[in-house]
Amino acid sequence: MKRSVAVALAAAAFAAPVGVASAKVVKFEVVRTESPAFEGRTFGSVGTYDRIIARATIAVAPGDLHNSIIVDVDKAPRNAQGQVEATTDVEILRPTNAANGNRRLFYEALNRGGKLGFALFNDDNPVVNDLAKAGDAGNGFLMNRGYTLVWSGWQGDIVPGGGRMTFTPPVVPGITGAAREEFVFDNMDNPVTGTLSYPAADLDPAQAKLTVREREADERTKPADMSFKYDGDRKVSISRPANFDAGAIYELVYPAKDPKVMGLGFAATRDVVSFLRYEKADAAGNANVLDGRIDKAIGFGLSQSGRYLHDFIYLGFNGDESDRVVFEGLMPHISGGKKTFTNYRFSQPGRSPYQHADMIYPGSEFPFTYPVTTDALTGKSDGLLARCLAAKNCPKIIKSDSEIEFYQQRASLVVTDTQGNAITMPDNVRLYFLSNLQHFALANSKPAMTKTCQFPTNPLNAGPSVRAQLVALDAWITNGTEPPPSRYPSRADGTLVEPTIEAVGFPKIPGFPYKGTMTKPVLIDFSVMPPRKGKPYPAFLPKTDADGRAIAGVHLPTLEAPAATHTGWNVRKAGYSEGELCENNGSMIPFAATKDERLKTGDPRLSMAERYPHEGDRAAAIEKAARQLVKDRLLLEEDVKIFTQAKN
């Protein structure tokens, strides 16, 4: 089921009167309160924090125009008042002394049930979901500034455990239909087990279709020595064929049952944040634990949850049922030009279309960008902001992407139309390209070899950049202070180019061949199963200099005085569909120490000795670059030491 709705219809919907009861949090149950949190740790002038673990029940009127866009909400079971209910985990960190808070609600949309935001903003390393110990607060950045932090579940297929937060939508009874799974096992177990997203409606293998292909672009095959059987209604056991390696793609189309109203997750985020901002108590009389504390709200999402924020704004959920604004500011981070496979029947929100796998799942279709544009392949006009423009509740948006989003996640379509022409962002949007970063790296990461990738990973961390972005966004929504101008590759200035070796200009590094491998976005026909690829959309890549560094974007200080070539992408090694992009991993290829060393291998990149002939040269260049970023408001003064005190 497709989500595209004409802009005119969206405008008409939000102009129409609401004729049924408003959606609301009907029950907000505090499970426990930890006061003080973090074992009593204090945070600057803000002091201690309280941690509140809660469970919220929402009830939505399916006929209300604010909710009718939710797929299958009209078919879901209803309560005595004719509303559809769902429950969600909620966690809150609030300053113990309300007067010390900054009156900002910072909502992190969870990534597959987990809290990744602390790893960026607070340099939390490793990622921790159960924020109980003093060290779990990391550097304390968000708390030192007085934010009230909120998380709530939105993904209705999360398996509990490991501190993951859950959301429980209703199941639609009596519905069956075709569902599709792709498995890339990255092992050679035989037979191998796969888990189904939905129960099989028929356990006869003859009613399903299993195929295999080595690479995503290959033809599907059904080798005679491949078979499968059901191990219950949620598991399959696949006997693997010869001549396919560990990275092969197994696709199963099967009859499924019991779809969930997964799109209610958007309403859960909307209604929980709205309740915490505006209400004194829930429908049962339970007090709002943040009553009187919040003036503004910022939503942050990372990767999958950044794409979730794209959907949140696109589907029109930034206004509650009383048309009050939910978020004044949004920060979708490393989300490229994609959305999620959430508001569909038999949806799988954890899927993300990549070059090697999941390519034809929903979430990869038009619109790709914020302003309203026309799709040259279908003639449809739409944009991520279409509905909020009609409702007059668009937030300020600061979006940041790493390099892999251009190779894997259609980021060039954020800044071009579907004919490849440069487009201009609306005044409420800023775009920042974090040059040469991989998708995600923890603070203090080191290059490392992985099971499936050919080259060492890229350790560069986005934390210093996103912290500066948050400060800029807060000032923007608070007093109108304009954030720094966008820094993003563009067709207009030649920094976004055709995906060829010659146009990109990547150096010919010995043993590190560059082929420009990337996801090639196409029009997809979802009316058939499996979905069918159609005509291609234009796609482009950032142009690089002689070191492989992207010319456009925000360069971390260490990139202005580099010791290696860093890329956002990596490729799969032999035995794992060799040469395909290696998911979200980047690469790091150090420079030679001396000129003689690089000449022996034919490395065209200058050596460390040639770049920095005197002791202290590199350190001085790094500090100069850091100071310039502070001046440009793209780095905080407090984060300069991260680069000037680094050992490499």
Side-chain angles (χ1 to χ4, degrees):
M1 185 177 297
K2 294 187 178 181
R3 302 178 291 191
S4 298
V5 177
V7 176
L9 290 178
F14 280 97
V18 176
V20 292
S22 293
K24 56 188 175 183
V25 172
V26 294
K27 187 177 183 180
F28 191 87
E29 178 187 12
V30 175
V31 177
R32 73 177 189 274
T33 300
E34 300 171 8
S35 184
F38 298 113
E39 299 178 310
R41 178 176 167 180
T42 60
F43 299 93
S45 61
V46 180
T48 61
Y49 265 69
D50 299 334
R51 183 188 185 202
I52 299 168
I53 307 298
R55 187 80 174 159
T57 301
I58 67 164
V60 306
D64 190 296
L65 292 171
H66 293 80
N67 305 315
S68 57
I69 198 169
I70 299 172
V71 170
D72 284 339
V73 71
D74 57 327
K75 299 175 179 63
R78 305 188 186 191
N79 63 17
Q81 291 74 43
Q83 296 174 321
V84 177
E85 294 188 356
T87 58
T88 182
D89 294 337
V90 181
E91 183 169 338
I92 299 170
L93 287 171
R94 68 179 186 188
T96 302
N97 185 339
N100 292 343
N102 68 2
R103 306 191 63 81
R104 299 289 179 271
L105 186 154
F106 180 91
Y107 178 88
E108 181 190 353
L110 297 159
N111 185 302
R112 295 170 177 81
K115 306 180 182 81
L116 295 183
F118 259 39
L120 282 184
F121 291 98
N122 281 26
D123 284 348
D124 206 11
N125 191 355
V127 173
V128 177
N129 285 328
D130 183 14
L131 300 170
K133 303 296 184 181
D136 296 340
N139 64 20
F141 172 81
L142 291 168
M143 284 75 77
N144 287 331
R145 289 181 175 266
Y147 285 99
T148 294
L149 311 176
V150 176
W151 298 266
S152 65
W154 64 266
Q155 185 175 339
D157 57 1
I158 293 298
V159 177
R164 292 182 294 273
M165 298 178 67
T166 64
F167 168 65
T168 308
V171 171
V172 183
I175 289 182
T176 61
R180 187 174 71 92
E181 304 285 353
E182 280 192 14
F183 302 109
V184 178
F185 296 109
D186 284 333
N187 64 51
M188 290 302 291
D189 296 349
N190 194 15
V192 64
T193 299
T195 300
L196 303 179
S197 300
Y198 291 90
D202 188 329
L203 298 184
D204 179 4
Q207 302 305 310
K209 180 181 179 181
L210 177 67
T211 62
V212 64
R213 59 198 191 275
E214 189 59 55
R215 290 172 170 77
E216 200 284 330
D218 292 347
E219 293 293 324
R220 295 172 173 84
T221 64
K222 294 186 288 183
D225 58 341
M226 180 180 70
S227 63
F228 87 97
K229 64 184 181 72
Y230 287 103
D231 294 332
D233 65 359
R234 294 296 296 266
K235 297 278 188 182
V236 292
S237 178
I238 299 173
S239 295
R240 304 171 78 153
N243 302 319
F244 288 89
D245 71 17
I249 303 167
Y250 294 82
E251 179 183 75
L252 180 70
V253 177
Y254 69 102
K257 63 182 180 179
D258 300 340
K260 297 178 178 181
V261 188
M262 208 75 80
L264 273 171
F266 298 107
T269 294
R270 176 194 68 192
D271 294 341
V272 166
V273 173
S274 178
F275 168 76
L276 294 173
R277 291 195 61 178
Y278 297 116
E279 305 298 340
K280 290 189 172 296
D282 66 14
N286 299 309
N288 174 7
V289 296
L290 297 184
D291 180 34
R293 287 174 172 249
I294 303 299
D295 293 333
K296 306 279 186 183
I298 293 171
F300 171 79
L302 181 159
S303 190
Q304 179 217 27
S305 55
R307 295 184 285 111
Y308 171 79
L309 293 184
H310 283 173
D311 265 328
F312 184 87
I313 196 70
Y314 174 60
L315 295 172
F317 285 98
N318 203 43
D320 68 10
E321 291 222 9
S322 298
D323 290 322
R324 296 172 298 192
V325 169
V326 179
F327 295 112
E328 281 82 9
L330 288 182
M331 292 184 67
H333 176 58
I334 53 176
S335 53
K338 298 196 300 190
K339 302 183 286 297
T340 62
F341 182 20
T342 301
N343 192 38
Y344 299 82
R345 182 175 292 173
F346 293 115
S347 68
Q348 299 176 40
R351 297 286 184 178
S352 181
Y354 284 130
Q355 180 266 339
H356 180 59
D358 291 359
M359 173 71 175
I360 55 174
Y361 279 99
S364 58
E365 66 274 20
F366 179 86
F368 308 101
T369 188
Y370 298 101
V372 175
T373 63
T374 298
D375 185 353
L377 299 185
T378 66
K380 295 178 180 178
S381 293
D382 210 347
L384 297 181
L385 299 183
R387 288 183 177 85
C388 72
L389 287 170
K392 296 182 172 58
N393 60 19
C394 288
K396 309 290 189 187
I397 297 172
I398 286 184
K399 171 182 171 59
S400 52
D401 281 318
S402 73
E403 187 177 53
I404 193 63
E405 277 69 71
F406 285 87
Y407 284 82
Q408 284 277 40
Q409 303 206 44
R410 301 159 177 80
S412 70
L413 284 164
V414 175
V415 288
T416 69
D417 63 21
T418 55
Q419 293 180 304
N421 303 308
I423 57 175
T424 302
M425 286 300 108
D427 290 341
N428 65 312
V429 176
R430 293 291 188 277
L431 306 175
Y432 301 114
F433 171 46
L434 307 184
S435 305
N436 296 83
L437 269 64
Q438 71 175 30
H439 194 63
F440 184 74
L442 294 169
N444 303 317
S445 288
K446 302 296 182 185
M449 296 302 300
T450 68
K451 175 182 177 181
T452 58
C453 299
Q454 287 190 32
F455 304 105
T457 57
N458 181 344
L460 297 181
N461 171 249
S465 292
V466 297
R467 287 192 284 271
Q469 291 168 29
L470 175 59
V471 171
L473 180 59
D474 200 331
W476 199 11
I477 66 173
T478 300
N479 54 37
T481 300
E482 293 276 340
S486 293
R487 291 195 183 187
Y488 210 79
S490 172
R491 294 289 288 160
D493 63 11
T495 58
L496 192 63
V497 298
E498 295 284 346
T500 65
I501 298 172
E502 295 75 20
V504 172
F506 195 85
K508 296 180 180 179
I509 303 172
F512 190 73
Y514 178 79
K515 297 181 180 179
T517 304
M518 67 177 301
T519 301
K520 298 294 179 63
V522 297
L523 181 66
I524 299 172
D525 180 1
F526 292 108
S527 68
V528 295
M529 184 64 81
R532 183 184 300 124
K533 294 180 186 177
K535 295 180 179 179
Y537 289 104
F540 305 96
L541 293 172
K543 187 173 181 57
T544 74
D545 64 13
D547 288 329
R549 182 183 62 179
I551 294 170
V554 178
H555 294 165
L556 294 180
T558 44
L559 284 175
E560 291 288 12
T565 291
H566 296 82
T567 71
W569 49 270
N570 206 319
V571 292
R572 286 177 161 257
K573 65 173 64 168
Y576 297 90
S577 299
E578 185 175 9
E580 300 291 272
L581 287 181
C582 200
E583 282 68 59
N584 290 322
N585 292 296
S587 309
M588 176 178 167
I589 310 298
F591 299 146
T594 65
K595 181 177 181 180
D596 286 346
E597 181 181 319
R598 75 173 180 86
L599 290 177
K600 287 179 182 178
T601 63
D603 193 335
R605 304 169 299 161
L606 292 178
S607 67
M608 293 293 285
E610 291 172 287
R611 293 166 187 272
Y612 314 112
H614 304 105
E615 184 176 355
D617 282 355
R618 183 167 184 252
I622 288 173
E623 180 163 7
K624 179 181 178 181
R627 295 297 175 192
Q628 185 60 51
L629 285 176
V630 171
K631 183 178 179 181
D632 295 339
R633 298 172 53 220
L634 294 167
L635 182 70
L636 302 179
E637 178 66 38
E638 65 202 70
D639 281 338
V640 170
K641 64 180 181 294
I642 292 175
F643 302 99
T644 58
Q645 296 177 6
K647 294 181 180 179
N648 51 36

